[in-house]
Amino acid sequence: MKYVILAKYGEMALKGLNRFRFENQLVKTIRERIGTGFGIRHMQSTIYIEPRNENADIDFAFEKVKTIFGIASICKAVVCEKNFDDVCAKSLEYFADILPYKTTFKVFAKRADKRFPMTSPEIGRELGHVLLEKFPNLSVNCDSPQYEVHVDIRDTNAYIYGEKLNGAGGLPVGTGGKALLLLSGGIDSPVAGFLTAKRGVEISALYFETPPYTSERAKLKVEQLVEKLENYCGKIEFFAENITRVSEDLKNKCPSELFTVLLRRQMMKIANEYAEKLGCMAIITGESLGQVASQTLEAINCTNAVAKFPVLRPLIGFDKREIIAISEKIGTFEISSQPYEDCCTVFTPKHPSLRPNIAECEKAELLLAEL
Ligand code: ATP
Ligand code: MG
């Protein structure tokens, strides 16, 4: 049997004139991720992904397409000739391993090509009969069937499929501009990057390293996170910036209880420069309100005061448990849980200020200029 992947797009179909840009971006992304072994075309809110020959691995492509933002649902369908006999024959073959183990079902027929000689209700009824005869264990349940059999009569062919899986949702990456993710080796920032990319934003990532206080292993961990995120976000430009000297200066010259917030301000200033250079329109962090001392509203205000771009904090209202659930789903949790320290654990004061204010930060920073 010949298979095709049907990927249906979700909310992007609603975007009026933008729709064409979104569709083109989506097709381009799919092509980049699955290679040249497949033909890709789109029609009526569905992208058809067809193997060009027997060497093209459709299951591999299916797994890849499942992670592409902008796709609402995805299924592997059987390609039929556009006549009812072929639809019946292929249905019997395709569902032979599935329907004997089901109790109730319903046929959902859709006829995009109105020249097809049977109406949708007729197709549903007739195919239902054929399946009932073959699988006596089944009965029809129109309200809440245990299993759905779908038949789509489209332009050149008919397609049959069973369960549809949810796609990754969101909007195609690249349709929403670019932003700079401040990516540490922790659990939160990769999830923040994932959620922003899900809204169509292309991601560049910046990691602040503090050698020799942080090891090469810590950086490798962040590089692994980037690689994992790329499964969803597409290519991520990655930068590492050494902040050892600035961290030592802060530790030696400034009040220790302000260390964390002052370091965050330094990071933000460096991030401004990167964002400007890279053409990013926003900076993303993994901050979540109240999670740690540096994430009180007062501290966030102090960091925000030096930001030249909007700072996106997609996790601001999330509990740790919710963040972990996403990181497990996208495969970053295991990497983030590796023990290699990030810069702050080495320098972090025992009693960080919970209520810093901008004036005291600015005053402390004057000390940095002194010899
Ligand atoms: P994460 O789990 O993302 O590390 P966290 O709970 O450890 O977050 P903080 O250490 O307060 O929180 O960091 C807040 C945010 O600042 C991080 O989510 C990240 O966006 C950014 N950040 C912190 N440390 C670094 C770093 N070494 N390099 C790049 N960004 C960093
Ligand atoms: Mg951290």
Side-chain angles (χ1 to χ4, degrees):
M1 281 198 288
K2 199 175 145 199
Y3 292 97
V4 58
I5 296 171
L6 303 185
K8 306 204 175 192
Y9 15 111
E11 58 186 289
M12 61 181 271
L14 306 172
K15 299 268 173 188
L17 286 176
N18 265 338
R19 176 175 170 159
F20 298 105
R21 196 163 63 83
F22 283 47
E23 283 170 341
N24 291 340
Q25 181 63 46
L26 196 49
V27 168
K28 186 167 153 251
T29 304
I30 294 173
R31 194 161 279 136
E32 280 165 9
R33 302 270 183 98
I34 67 175
T36 53
F38 297 83
I40 303 169
R41 63 199 168 90
H42 61 87
M43 214 182 319
Q44 292 157 344
S45 299
T46 302
I47 296 183
Y48 295 71
I49 303 161
E50 282 168 291
R52 289 195 204 278
N53 55 50
E54 278 152 26
N55 296 328
D57 183 345
I58 194 161
D59 293 325
F60 162 85
F62 191 84
E63 289 308 310
K64 288 277 178 198
V65 175
K66 243 167 55 180
T67 64
I68 295 176
F69 292 131
I71 293 171
S73 73
I74 169 173
C75 66
K76 198 169 118 181
V78 179
V79 183
C80 305
E81 284 167 37
K82 232 163 94 175
N83 66 65
F84 188 65
D85 287 346
D86 198 48
V87 168
C88 287
K90 296 239 165 71
S91 295
L92 289 172
E93 193 180 340
Y94 180 54
F95 294 113
D97 295 338
I98 301 167
L99 289 179
Y101 308 102
K102 302 293 176 191
T103 51
T104 61
F105 81 117
K106 178 182 176 183
V107 178
F108 293 82
K110 254 204 306 223
R111 187 181 59 145
D113 176 3
K114 302 295 180 207
R115 290 167 309 175
F116 192 77
M118 294 163 79
T119 64
S120 301
E122 278 169 356
I123 298 167
R125 221 171 26 240
E126 295 300 318
L127 182 60
H129 271 302
V130 171
L131 294 173
L132 277 172
E133 251 172 41
K134 177 75 182 177
F135 305 106
N137 52 305
L138 285 179
S139 59
V140 175
N141 181 337
C142 287
D143 297 328
S144 59
Q146 189 196 12
Y147 194 76
E148 296 184 359
V149 169
H150 292 265
V151 184
D152 282 7
I153 310 288
R154 298 246 172 176
D155 56 334
T156 57
N157 289 90
Y159 301 91
I160 52 174
Y161 54 92
E163 273 152 333
K164 278 187 285 190
L165 293 184
N166 285 334
L171 302 167
V173 169
T175 56
K178 184 155 88 166
L180 180 66
L181 171 65
L182 303 191
L183 182 63
S184 71
I187 293 168
D188 304 328
S189 41
V191 174
F194 167 84
L195 290 175
T196 310
K198 186 173 180 185
R199 303 311 303 166
V201 176
E202 184 186 341
I203 304 290
S204 297
L206 175 59
Y207 165 61
F208 296 104
E209 57 180 344
T210 323
Y213 305 101
T214 55
S215 62
E216 191 62 19
R217 299 288 291 274
K219 182 172 164 188
L220 282 177
K221 177 178 157 183
V222 180
E223 284 170 351
Q224 285 175 19
L225 286 171
V226 168
E227 214 173 286
K228 213 27 132 187
L229 280 177
E230 283 182 330
N231 289 334
Y232 291 92
C233 309
K235 187 85 199 103
I236 295 175
E237 254 189 306
F238 174 67
F239 304 89
E241 177 78 22
N242 184 319
I243 51 161
T244 303
R245 204 180 55 77
V246 91
S247 302
E248 286 174 341
D249 267 7
L250 288 173
K251 176 129 182 121
N252 294 335
K253 296 178 181 170
C254 301
S256 72
E257 69 277 10
L258 289 179
F259 177 83
T260 310
V261 68
L262 294 179
L263 183 65
R264 290 282 174 275
R265 281 165 62 92
Q266 295 300 328
M267 287 180 174
M268 193 54 83
K269 287 179 192 169
I270 298 169
N272 286 333
E273 289 171 26
Y274 271 88
E276 213 149 50
K277 205 169 60 195
L278 295 168
C280 293
M281 287 188 277
I283 292 169
I284 311 158
T285 75
E287 287 163 307
S288 161
L289 204 52
Q291 198 186 80
V292 288
S294 56
Q295 296 176 19
T296 59
L297 269 187
E298 287 85 350
I300 288 176
N301 249 312
C302 292
T303 316
N304 210 62
V306 294
K308 285 193 190 155
F309 293 85
V311 179
L312 308 182
R313 301 179 179 88
L315 304 182
I316 202 70
F318 281 49
D319 291 340
K320 197 74 187 183
R321 192 171 39 84
E322 295 167 312
I323 300 170
I324 288 175
I326 300 175
S327 74
E328 283 176 332
K329 198 184 82 186
I330 64 176
T332 54
F333 182 72
E334 208 178 313
I335 304 170
S336 295
S337 304
Q338 293 170 19
Y340 312 110
E341 72 295 346
D342 74 23
C343 54
C344 299
T345 45
V346 181
F347 288 96
T348 307
K350 282 206 175 57
H351 303 289
S353 168
L354 298 180
R355 315 234 172 281
N357 63 60
I358 296 170
E360 67 180 337
C361 289
E362 286 173 347
K363 196 171 142 210
E365 282 160 356
L366 291 177
L367 300 170
L368 283 179
E370 290 175 9
L371 285 176

